[in-house]
Structures are given as C-alpha cells and as structure tokens.
Amino acid sequence: RHIYTIAKSIEPVLATNGRIQFYFDPFPRAKPSLIDDSPNSRVDFKKLNVIQSCEADQLLAEIIAPEKEKPGIDVTGNPIYGPQPTEAKLEAGRNTVLRDGQIFSSTSGQVKIRYDEASIQAKLEIIEVLEVEKIDYATGNVDFHGTVVVHDTVADGFQLRAKGDIIIENTVSNAVLQAEGDIVLLGGAVGRGLGFIEATTDVYAKFVQETTISAGHGIYIEEAAIHSRLMAGVEVILDGGRGDLIGGSTLSGKLLIANRIGSKAEPETKLTLGIDPETFRRLSEIEQEIDHNRNNLQKVEQHRRHIEDLRKRGNVSANDDETYSKLISLETKFATVLQNLKKQRETMQATISPNREAEIRYRDTVFPNVEVSFGLGIRHYRIDRRPVSIPGRFALDSVENTILHSYG
C-alpha cells in the first residue's frame, strides 16, 4: 500500500504588530540596576538614571509599522489569513509635537511617558525641572508642576509637592514630600516619627529612620529601615548595602526582600504581605489623614506650651487665657480624631485578603519578635525564641491558610 499526497496546506507567515522605537530610556527605574549579571547580583542604588532629559526639537520616539503577513494556502487552494496586526499609536502630550509618526520635544526638560503595553500606545510629555539649593524659610512650601531637584535638604516642618519626581541630595527629617512620580533620597530620611513621604510610583532611599513612606509601586532602601512605617503597592526591597529592616511595620502587596529582619535588640517588627491595590489606596488615604491631624496636634501643643511659658513669667494676657481654653479644646479634638484614625487603620489591616503569590525573602537572618501576617483568617507567624541565621522565605501554603517558613 502506498501513501500519496493529494493536497497540502501551507501555513501563513503571521504579521508582526507595530511597535514604538524610543530614543531615550522609557522605563529608567522599573527596578534599580544590578551590579552584574550573576544570579546573586546586588542592586546598585548609585545607578538610578534619575532624570531622562532632552533638548528642544529632539526626536524622542517613532512608530514602526507592522510587518505584513504572507498568506498561507489551504488544501483547496484558498488563501489562509492570520489575525490582523495591531498598529502602534503615539500621542503628543505637553511640550511635544507629533509629525509623520514621530514625536519631537518642543522644549528642554524631563521626558515622561505613559505606556499601555497591551494596546501598544504611548503618550509623551516634557516637564520642567526646578533646581533649588534648599527648601526652607527662603522658599516657603513648594508645589511645582514638574520635577524638583534639591541640592541640600528640605527643612523641618516644610512641604514639597511635585507633579513629576523629587530628588533630594541630603538627608531629610521632619518634612512632607509628595510626588506624582518617584522620590529619590540620596541622603536618606530621619523623620523622628513625623516625616511623611509619598510617591505615586517608587521611593528610593539610602536609609530611613522613624519615617512613614508610601509608594504606589515599590520602596527601595540601600542600608536600613529603622522603626519606620513602610507601605508599597507591589514590593519593598532592602538591598545594595546592609539591607536591614529593623522595627516598625512594613506592608507590601507582593514582595519583601531584606538581608536581615529585626535585630539583636529584638524590637517589635511587623510585616504584612499581600495587600490588594484598593486596600492599599485606602490605607494610604488614612495615613495622610493621620499625618495631617498629627501635624495639627503638634502645632496646637506648641502654642499651648508657649502660653504656659508666658504664665510662668507672668506675661499672660486676658486674650492668652481665652486662646488657651480654645487650644485645650482643639488638642482634645485632634487627639480623639487621631486615635480613631489609628483604630480604622488597625481594623483595615486586620481584614486584608492576601495575594497568595506574596512572599518574604531574607538572605541572612530573621530575629525574635518579628511577626509575619498575610491577612484575615490566617494566624500570624512569630519568631519567638532565637534568631534564624540561614537564608529563608515566608509564604502562604498553596492550599491551607497557613504561613510556611522555609530555609535555604
């Protein structure tokens, strides 16, 4: 018996989607750079490519058309067509011009991008960069529509808000920083329990101490986070230097990586993983309200203590006595509001339904008095007796609502 080929189909060569060719790095800080390509490579916090800048009339991006398909043929001789390719799209934002499928800058500044990978669409804009030596009484609070670079620091009690990024070269303390882009603290932060830092995307810092940090995507710390409150929608990574997470509380949507968690002094260190984005947003709003009311309470307390000092010196007036009564009332009001907000925060944290892919990884040691939580209905895991000095991982069991602590 012989087999003869009577007819044979030819598969089509499928078209390829259009794409966008960028002439700058469109995603300079999706993750900090690695020092080398080895599997155990450390993060290099010195290479953050902080600002992607351009000059006027510079080509920023262009559309590359889809490559056409080559139709196939079925066994009856009819053509076989594949799916239609997707056309890439570019949109000119502020200070950019679209000409013949190419986007050019119309001014110098920082290039910002909004990119939808699924639909292959990008919108580019150029924002201004403001450089100042210091934010203090000479400048007042700053609210800028672009990116702000501070060569020194932001003085205690001052606020800096930016539509772009914030880059500060020296250590900040009791200040409020809010950016719709990233925040980079080359000198770190010592908030003394009052500093508040919030970025829509990422926060990078050399170290943080007694500071509240909120980031829509990630928090990246080189040396240490000490007695701080960290909240990130996706990941918290302590790497590049010591990589210590000591005390305070850390909330992360999916991933936490550190070299050491806790310390020999055994401070209470709370870790909560697997927060969904909506819960994270609501927690961030509560944190802002807490910070606002805490600052108001601090101002009222300072004014009240000032009048008390005047009384001791016998310089108090009738108006001061009236003001003092109002301050006592305000102090009680703000303290009550602050207490209620903290209870709301605790209640919300206790009802988190965890992301089952969330995990904690440590490379060196986890110390006693470290508490790990993955949300509602899951018993907390606590290191009680002695340090565990071997690399390890915390994750949810794939079936049971239990926390697994594995080693190696």
Side-chain angles (χ1 to χ4, degrees):
R1 187 174 66 173
H2 298 282
I3 297 174
Y4 299 94
T5 300
I6 299 172
K8 185 178 181 180
S9 65
I10 300 174
E11 293 296 319
V13 178
L14 299 180
T16 59
N17 291 333
R19 60 187 178 88
I20 300 172
Q21 176 67 53
F22 295 102
Y23 296 100
F24 65 99
D25 185 351
F27 313 110
R29 292 182 303 281
K31 285 189 176 181
S33 302
L34 295 177
I35 291 175
D36 54 51
D37 295 328
S38 65
N40 297 319
S41 177
R42 302 283 182 164
V43 172
D44 188 351
F45 280 81
K46 297 178 179 65
K47 295 182 179 178
L48 293 176
N49 302 316
V50 172
I51 294 178
Q52 293 291 301
S53 59
C54 70
E55 299 299 325
D57 202 33
Q58 180 177 324
L59 174 61
L60 302 175
E62 66 177 323
I63 293 172
I64 306 299
E67 293 184 9
K68 295 181 179 180
E69 72 169 335
K70 182 180 179 181
I73 302 173
D74 66 17
V75 294
T76 62
N78 294 317
I80 303 174
Y81 297 102
Q84 289 295 309
T86 302
E87 298 270 354
K89 295 181 181 178
L90 276 174
E91 181 180 351
R94 185 172 37 167
N95 297 320
T96 63
V97 178
L98 180 62
R99 296 196 298 260
D100 300 323
Q102 296 180 316
I103 282 192
F104 295 84
S105 56
S106 59
T107 185
S108 60
Q110 180 185 8
V111 186
K112 302 290 283 185
I113 181 174
R114 293 181 184 176
Y115 183 62
D116 186 338
E117 185 176 6
S119 60
I120 320 177
Q121 296 186 38
K123 180 178 180 178
L124 303 183
E125 65 176 349
I126 309 300
I127 63 174
E128 294 181 55
V129 178
L130 172 66
E131 294 192 50
V132 297
E133 188 63 28
K134 189 174 183 179
I135 305 293
D136 56 12
Y137 289 100
T139 62
N141 294 329
V142 173
D143 191 340
F144 188 63
H145 57 266
T147 285
V148 180
V149 178
V150 182
H151 294 296
D152 190 356
T153 188
V154 178
D156 287 0
F158 284 86
Q159 300 177 3
L160 170 56
R161 294 180 172 87
K163 295 288 185 183
D165 300 337
I166 292 174
I167 300 99
I168 300 177
E169 297 182 4
N170 213 334
T171 303
V172 296
S173 187
N174 172 20
V176 174
L177 310 177
Q178 292 177 300
E180 294 186 14
D182 297 340
I183 294 178
V184 179
L185 306 175
L186 298 176
V190 182
R192 300 198 297 274
L194 297 171
F196 181 74
I197 297 166
E198 181 183 36
T200 300
T201 48
D202 296 326
V203 174
Y204 302 86
K206 188 174 183 63
F207 73 94
V208 296
Q209 181 174 340
E210 295 182 322
T211 303
T212 296
I213 298 180
S214 172
H217 179 263
I219 297 174
Y220 306 95
I221 298 169
E222 182 177 1
E223 295 294 342
I226 303 171
H227 301 302
S228 294
R229 180 177 294 276
L230 310 179
M231 297 195 309
V234 178
E235 61 186 17
V236 175
I237 297 178
L238 293 96
D239 198 3
R242 287 162 48 199
D244 290 344
L245 177 55
I246 302 170
S249 63
T250 299
L251 295 89
S252 177
K254 192 171 182 179
L255 179 64
L256 168 61
I257 297 176
N259 286 339
R260 287 171 292 274
I261 303 176
S263 74
K264 291 181 180 179
E266 301 183 9
E268 185 176 49
T269 305
K270 293 187 175 182
L271 315 176
T272 304
L273 268 287
I275 312 165
D276 66 274
E278 176 59 23
T279 302
F280 174 79
R281 183 189 63 79
R282 290 168 61 198
L283 278 170
S284 296
E285 290 175 352
I286 289 177
E287 287 293 342
Q288 288 184 52
E289 290 185 55
I290 288 173
D291 181 69
H292 175 72
N293 282 276
R294 186 191 290 120
N295 287 336
N296 283 338
L297 179 60
Q298 183 185 33
K299 291 174 183 176
V300 170
E301 288 173 341
Q302 288 175 343
H303 196 172
R304 188 250 306 159
R305 285 194 291 267
H306 174 67
I307 293 177
E308 288 173 348
D309 288 340
L310 291 176
R311 280 180 172 172
K312 290 177 182 178
R313 295 195 297 266
N315 294 330
V316 70
S317 66
N319 286 337
D320 289 331
D321 285 332
E322 184 179 348
T323 300
Y324 186 83
S325 298
K326 292 179 180 178
L327 289 172
I328 292 295
S329 177
L330 281 173
E331 194 171 340
T332 302
K333 173 187 172 183
F334 286 129
T336 302
V337 170
L338 197 58
Q339 185 179 20
N340 290 337
L341 286 169
K342 288 180 178 178
K343 286 181 179 178
Q344 287 182 41
R345 181 177 65 192
E346 291 172 5
T347 301
M348 190 175 298
Q349 290 175 356
T351 58
I352 291 171
S353 179
N355 177 346
R356 304 200 73 84
E357 297 180 357
E359 64 174 339
I360 299 169
R361 300 203 298 264
Y362 61 93
R363 295 192 174 99
D364 191 317
T365 305
V366 59
F367 290 89
N369 212 16
V370 170
E371 183 179 282
V372 178
S373 172
F374 281 80
L376 178 67
I378 299 171
R379 186 177 178 182
H380 295 184
Y381 189 103
R382 191 179 189 90
I383 305 294
D384 284 324
R385 297 181 180 178
R386 60 179 65 88
V388 180
S389 298
I390 185 173
R393 174 178 179 266
F394 295 98
L396 276 178
D397 184 274
S398 58
V399 179
E400 301 291 335
N401 277 343
T402 57
I403 298 174
L404 301 178
H405 186 191
S406 56
Y407 309 104

